[in-house]
Amino acid sequence: QAKARGRGQMTVFSLEMKQETQRRVAMVNLGRKAVESDSIIPYYQLQVSLEENRPIGFEALLRRRDRQGRICAPSSISAAFEDAEVAEAIGDAMLKAVLADMQMAENRGVDLGTVSVNFSTAEFRSATFIDRLTNRIADAGIDFSRVMIEVTEGVFLGRPADSAAQTIRTLHDLGFKIALDDFGTGYASLVHLRQLPVDTLKIDQSFIRALVDSKDDLAIVSAILNLGASLGLNVIAEGIESEAQLSILRGLKLRYAQGYLFAHPVPIEEAFALALPWQTQGHARDQAHGERPGIHKRMIG
Ligand code: C2E
Ligand code: MG
Ligand code: MG
Ligand code: MG
């Protein structure tokens, strides 16, 4: 009887595995098709300085236009980021689009500040990653220092950590800024932080979510902020949605913030609207305590 039940479970289990595999293959195909049909679009989410009460830049977040014209989140093709070849094609399409937007900003006299771009571990580990990245950006005539490379601590896993570290050092020496994304959820962070030219830690939104009710999350966020301060790193909290979260974070002396409370990820035209007031009249407005159209009222302080 036990044996029969065991066999039954095996069947269910392998069926689930098969379905999971099919789901992943479908995602990889969707990712490949998105590149082929030119359907990879960057959205941009505002990042702000809480102390200076102004935008500091934008994070480029991948969106995919499906066949019905709907805009889909990256989770709809998450498996594609793990397939080395498709991840590379998606990353290249995304980077091209971001650079075109940065050029358009420049032509219009809009300063987007630092633009952060996410790279999957598979992309980052590619032997040709740095060459392709630098060629693209140099061809676009964009300064490396205006680009922040976001990677997760996953880049340090499963292979000699030295090569990931070496890539980060090379990128830093080339003038790029480096951010460790989803910080606190990864592995062996402290060792790498001490040794690497990382500029920014991004506190994962899972710690921000329950900040108001969870003493543990409060302790973790506080520890990351202290760590950042001691090591001379910028710390940005992502996923800030409420005034209550923001007020706790201000109390902990957080300096940089990102989240729906300030702005959702938006298409480039709307990002221009968020950046423009800062560009053309930001300081005058700050002094006059005037309204800034397009920026959430939280920014006025
Ligand atoms: P991430 O880099 O940690 O990006 C932050 C995610 O949180 C984004 O989801 C953003 O839309 C979302 N978010 C921002 N503010 C809030 C908030 O206040 N509340 C909540 N609940 N969520 C917020 P998105 O755009 O769906 O991206 C998810 C993940 O997909 C990213 O996490 C990143 O790991 C990955 N990703 C995005 N774009 C790219 C890309 O171009 N290349 C690669 N390789 N991965 C990307
Ligand atoms: Mg990110
Ligand atoms: Mg993150
Ligand atoms: Mg994430």
Side-chain angles (χ1 to χ4, degrees):
Q1 209 187 0
K3 200 175 170 190
R5 202 189 307 129
R7 201 175 289 145
Q9 282 173 351
M10 277 296 281
T11 309
V12 172
F13 184 54
S14 57
L15 181 66
E16 275 169 8
M17 277 181 49
K18 196 174 160 202
Q19 287 170 340
E20 169 65 13
T21 305
Q22 284 169 345
R23 222 170 49 84
R24 297 180 72 81
V25 170
M27 279 200 224
V28 175
N29 285 332
L30 273 180
R32 191 184 286 118
K33 281 193 195 123
V35 174
E36 286 164 6
S37 60
D38 221 2
S39 305
I40 301 286
I41 309 151
Y43 269 37
Y44 295 88
Q45 187 175 33
L46 186 71
Q47 300 177 321
V48 303
S49 157
L50 296 174
E51 283 173 352
E52 297 170 63
N53 197 35
R54 66 173 181 86
I56 50 164
F58 290 86
E59 177 175 9
L61 292 159
L62 182 143
R63 295 292 179 267
R64 176 178 66 86
R65 202 187 295 281
D66 75 5
R67 282 169 39 186
Q68 284 76 41
R70 289 174 302 213
I71 300 293
C72 307
S75 56
S76 66
I77 51 167
S78 55
F81 295 112
E82 289 159 37
D83 178 297
E85 185 200 316
V86 177
E88 182 177 318
I90 294 173
D92 191 50
M94 177 72 180
L95 182 63
K96 260 188 348 198
V98 169
L99 292 168
D101 288 343
M102 290 178 80
Q103 287 174 321
M104 185 160 64
E106 206 151 286
N107 291 338
R108 295 210 204 163
V110 179
D111 188 349
L112 293 174
T114 302
V115 175
S116 299
V117 184
N118 295 278
F119 292 95
S120 70
T121 297
E123 287 174 83
F124 182 86
R125 286 178 173 179
S126 157
T128 56
F129 173 67
I130 292 180
D131 279 350
R132 287 184 289 110
L133 181 80
T134 50
N135 284 338
R136 274 260 177 261
I137 302 179
D139 285 351
I142 303 283
D143 266 13
F144 295 166
S145 64
R146 295 182 48 208
V147 178
M148 173 109 69
I149 311 282
E150 288 197 11
V151 291
T152 65
E153 296 161 78
V155 299
F156 298 111
L157 279 175
R159 83 197 292 238
D162 273 0
S163 62
Q166 191 49 55
T167 304
I168 286 181
R169 278 191 208 99
T170 305
L171 290 170
H172 173 82
D173 290 346
L174 285 164
F176 290 103
K177 298 190 180 94
I178 316 286
L180 278 189
D181 204 354
D182 304 344
F183 188 75
T185 63
Y187 166 81
S189 345
L190 303 185
V191 178
H192 299 124
L193 279 187
R194 190 161 48 92
Q195 295 166 351
L196 290 175
V198 168
D199 301 276
T200 299
L201 305 180
K202 300 195 74 176
I203 305 179
D204 190 65
Q205 59 188 58
S206 61
F207 301 117
I208 307 301
R209 199 169 300 133
L211 196 59
V212 179
D213 300 311
S214 161
K215 282 210 165 63
D216 290 347
D217 288 346
L218 184 69
I220 290 169
V221 170
S222 169
I224 295 176
L225 285 164
N226 287 333
L227 183 71
S230 335
L231 294 176
L233 303 172
N234 294 325
V235 180
I236 179 165
E238 56 184 12
I240 304 173
E241 295 182 353
S242 71
E243 294 285 354
Q245 291 165 336
L246 181 61
S247 112
I248 291 173
L249 290 164
R250 277 191 196 277
L252 295 174
K253 301 277 181 287
L254 175 77
R255 292 173 62 191
Y256 303 105
Q258 181 179 349
Y260 295 164
L261 180 64
F262 303 95
H264 282 254
V266 293
I268 186 64
E269 294 290 335
E270 289 174 50
F272 285 163
L274 295 174
L276 255 182
W278 160 41
Q279 195 50 36
T280 54
Q281 40 200 316
H283 287 294
R285 275 180 188 271
D286 278 349
Q287 281 153 24
H289 296 283
E291 289 274 328
R292 292 192 205 179
I295 296 180
H296 189 282
K297 67 179 188 328
R298 184 64 254 157
M299 283 300 296
I300 311 296

